[in-house]
Amino acid sequence: MKMSCGSEFERESLRNSFSYKQENRRIDIVSMSAFHQALDYLYSFVSYERKSNWHYSDKTLNLERFRAFLHLFGDPQFSLKAIHTAGSDGKGSVCAMIASVLRGMGFKVGVYLSPHLENIRERISVNGEWISERTFSRWTKILQEKMDALPPLRGGYATFFELITAMAFLEFQKRKVDYAVIETGLGGRLDSTNVMNPILTVITHISLEHTNLLGDTLEAVADEKLGIRRPGVPIVIGHQDSDVLDHIHRRLQDHEPPPICTDERYRALSQKWGRRYRTIEIQGGLNEEKKRIVQIPLFGHYQLQNTLTAVAALDVLQQTGALRPYRKEELTEGLRQVKWPGRFEIFRRPDRATVVLDVAHTAKGAASLRLSLDEIFPNKHRIFVAGFLEGKKIRSMVRRLARPSDGIVFTCAPSPRGMPIQGILDEIEGLHDVGPNCHQIENPIDAFTQAEAMAKPKDVIVVTGSLYLTGVIRKHFFSSEKQEGDS
């Protein structure tokens, strides 16, 4: 029987990810205790983020039940001017870019993202500040009181993700945000976030992912993502492979207003990277002849397409009157200020190997990561620390990532869904691109330590394959270090 990586290390990592971080103020022991009690309560509900085998259906993910639950709170989701984003690759980056520009324009912006990289509070933020432990605990108590007063729910109990999503809606309503930027968790059609009346929907790049749940073809996955569309609501389609784009056009041929496809309306005329920013020259959009030059502090090559998608979304909001016209300076400064950790995040250390953290977890993401490494570190020896979740295209990912000369330390992603090392080795058996300098260490912290021992100061250590792995390494080794954008 195949064993998962739900080990003592995983459970300890999960607990550490909830740890209270002192932020130059006195620790409130009572608040801290309430926060951990809130987490214990929420994780007593089923979390499909952490389960390997479950049935994806409208019975398991019961949106009618969730709508009824939200109705008990007065339907907070309908009070939000929401921008709803789904996709396989880049949806978090696009959300971060849109939110950063809106904040720079002076608006109060709520952002709901999942899963979290280091701390569960990252999922819910207003104007870049995470929800506080005290507020998180207070909302959990309110949710618990409502749950305790209900009769047994038809079709099962609420899920962890439903409760966190409800908390986000309630917090954004209470804080009276001007805009709410909402990322789907899984798929789109049956996702708990798909209960809103958004002002805009955005579909980022679609890859084969969660094939045991969403379907084993790109068209099937696309159909699940497109489930967030609404009649009369504008939809922006980010960069897609040609076959998928043709399928999307067929599915949206009767959609009003017609979809805005960035592949057809926007293009990057040029791009270059410097010490702090990647500079992109954009053509298309509001004035198709006019060129716009923007800068982003994100260095993955894939951020080119994500930037075009974010700009297209902002343009559509402006065109539809949902957003006031923005000045050129507001767009450029908003993108310059975007923060999105763990996405080709570069850490340079004196007299030690450079480290790149990237959450690539699909074959497309792996190919984009390889392109970024070839662009920014073309001649440097690379040592990968790689761990994956079950159900991922591991063979395709490793083949796209590694050169024969690269070192690899395979490890176990700290999740109950983490693929065991033997499972990884079975997946990549006979893969010629994996060189002889290959190691297997189950504990991710030990795996990174081994990579450091293998690396020379001029080498690059790359941590990738899973958000959970990247988050644990970042929290343990780099949370207090300064990010740099040079090679």
Side-chain angles (χ1 to χ4, degrees):
M1 186 175 82
K2 187 187 291 184
M3 300 295 292
S4 76
C5 290
S7 59
E8 279 300 319
F9 174 78
E10 186 275 330
R11 290 189 287 274
E12 182 64 21
S13 297
L14 186 64
R15 173 57 62 188
N16 288 343
S17 73
F18 301 151
S19 64
Y20 185 93
K21 187 175 182 180
Q22 186 174 7
E23 297 167 342
N24 299 319
R25 53 189 170 86
R26 184 176 63 84
I27 296 179
D28 186 333
I29 298 299
V30 174
S31 174
M32 183 173 67
S33 175
F35 179 58
H36 285 130
Q37 289 175 13
L39 291 169
D40 288 342
Y41 175 75
L42 292 172
Y43 273 103
S44 70
F45 292 84
V46 63
S47 173
Y48 293 118
E49 295 174 10
R50 306 178 65 206
K51 287 178 67 70
S52 295
N53 299 312
W54 56 282
H55 183 57
Y56 179 83
S57 73
D58 56 3
K59 293 182 179 180
T60 305
L61 303 176
N62 191 325
L63 290 187
E64 289 306 314
R65 179 191 66 204
F66 186 48
R67 288 189 182 99
F69 182 65
L70 291 172
H71 189 65
L72 299 175
F73 295 92
D75 293 313
Q77 74 276 22
F78 296 143
S79 69
L80 307 176
K81 293 173 68 174
I83 299 151
H84 198 193
T85 302
S88 305
D89 307 297
K91 62 182 183 289
S93 297
V94 170
C95 287
M97 292 179 190
I98 293 171
S100 186
V101 173
L102 293 175
R103 287 200 307 270
M105 295 175 68
F107 295 110
K108 183 184 289 186
V109 184
V111 178
Y112 179 53
L113 303 169
S114 64
H116 56 277
L117 187 65
E118 294 184 40
N119 189 304
I120 195 171
R121 293 167 47 224
E122 301 167 27
R123 297 184 183 222
I124 303 172
S125 64
V126 175
N127 280 0
E129 293 188 2
W130 300 349
I131 188 171
S132 69
E133 295 97 335
R134 189 180 295 276
T135 302
F136 188 100
S137 303
R138 184 172 65 246
W139 281 126
T140 302
K141 183 177 180 181
I142 290 170
L143 292 168
Q144 181 178 6
E145 290 172 350
K146 191 70 69 174
M147 288 291 296
D148 290 346
L150 289 174
L153 295 174
R154 184 182 303 172
Y157 295 98
T159 68
F160 162 82
F161 189 71
E162 286 174 343
L163 294 176
I164 293 291
T165 302
M167 184 187 299
F169 292 153
L170 290 165
E171 174 70 357
F172 295 159
Q173 181 188 54
K174 182 177 178 59
R175 297 286 299 275
K176 297 180 179 179
V177 300
D178 297 307
Y179 294 93
V181 182
I182 309 291
E183 177 190 22
T184 57
L186 173 70
R189 180 176 64 92
L190 298 180
D191 192 74
S192 298
T193 62
N194 197 26
V195 294
M196 306 177 294
N197 293 329
I199 60 174
L200 176 69
T201 54
V202 181
I203 307 295
T204 63
H205 185 268
I206 294 170
S207 298
L208 278 177
E209 58 161 347
H210 302 294
T211 52
N212 59 323
L213 303 174
L214 304 181
D216 58 4
T217 67
L218 286 172
E219 290 78 10
V221 176
D223 288 343
E224 292 297 325
K225 308 293 185 183
L226 289 170
I228 70 169
R229 70 190 188 277
R230 295 286 188 275
V233 177
I235 183 168
V236 171
I237 307 297
H239 170 68
Q240 305 293 338
D241 298 335
S242 58
D243 291 346
V244 182
L245 188 58
D246 290 342
H247 177 76
I248 290 172
H249 275 305
R250 290 192 294 270
R251 291 301 306 270
L252 298 180
Q253 61 183 345
D254 297 325
H255 187 85
E256 289 293 338
I260 301 297
C261 297
T262 59
D263 286 338
E264 300 167 357
R265 300 282 294 273
Y266 293 78
R267 63 189 179 119
L269 298 178
S270 64
Q271 64 85 25
K272 61 181 180 179
W273 56 270
R275 181 174 178 82
R276 298 181 60 193
Y277 301 103
R278 181 182 287 274
T279 302
I280 309 169
E281 185 179 21
I282 299 173
Q283 186 175 50
L286 294 176
N287 184 336
E288 293 189 5
E289 300 302 320
K290 190 175 181 179
K291 300 174 184 177
R292 288 178 276 186
I293 297 177
V294 300
Q295 293 181 313
I296 55 172
L298 306 173
F299 287 84
H301 188 83
Y302 49 85
Q303 299 296 0
L304 290 173
Q305 296 297 337
N306 291 337
T307 303
L308 297 183
T309 303
V311 170
L314 292 161
D315 284 352
V316 171
L317 288 173
Q318 180 174 325
Q319 289 172 320
T320 59
L323 175 67
R324 68 164 174 82
Y326 55 77
R327 301 188 304 274
K328 178 181 71 173
E329 295 78 12
E330 290 175 321
L331 176 66
T332 55
E333 188 58 25
L335 290 175
R336 282 168 63 95
Q337 296 299 322
V338 69
K339 294 180 175 62
W340 196 222
R343 281 72 180 180
F344 207 85
E345 187 175 15
I346 302 171
F347 292 91
R348 176 180 297 282
R349 292 100 45 90
D351 302 320
R352 299 170 70 187
T354 297
V355 174
V356 174
L357 305 181
D358 194 274
V359 301
H361 60 281
T362 66
K364 174 67 176 181
S368 295
L369 172 56
R370 170 69 178 270
L371 186 62
S372 302
L373 291 167
D374 289 348
E375 177 186 53
I376 299 179
F377 305 109
N379 301 314
K380 291 195 174 184
H381 178 62
R382 302 165 196 170
I383 300 170
F384 290 90
V385 179
F388 311 91
L389 299 186
E390 292 182 344
K392 296 296 183 177
K393 302 293 184 181
I394 296 173
R395 186 180 184 87
S396 294
M397 291 179 68
V398 174
R399 181 169 56 82
R400 285 165 169 79
L401 278 174
R403 305 170 300 187
S405 60
D406 292 334
I408 304 180
V409 183
F410 289 115
T411 189
C412 196
S415 164
R417 294 164 51 210
M419 175 65 82
I421 289 178
Q422 186 57 53
I424 296 174
L425 298 179
D426 291 344
E427 290 276 345
I428 66 170
E429 184 177 4
L431 195 61
H432 297 299
D433 289 342
V434 177
N437 198 12
C438 176
H439 300 260
Q440 302 93 42
I441 300 177
E442 180 176 348
N443 184 298
I445 304 302
D446 293 342
F448 184 82
T449 302
Q450 173 64 30
E452 292 233 273
M454 294 164 56
K456 298 177 181 178
K458 292 185 178 181
D459 292 345
V460 178
I461 299 173
V462 185
V463 180
T464 191
S466 161
L467 181 142
Y468 300 97
L469 172 63
T470 305
V472 163
I473 298 301
R474 189 180 195 278
K475 184 177 182 66
H476 192 87
F477 292 99
F478 299 104
S479 282
S480 63
E481 291 196 28
K482 185 178 185 295
Q483 177 186 351
E484 294 189 358
D486 61 340
S487 64

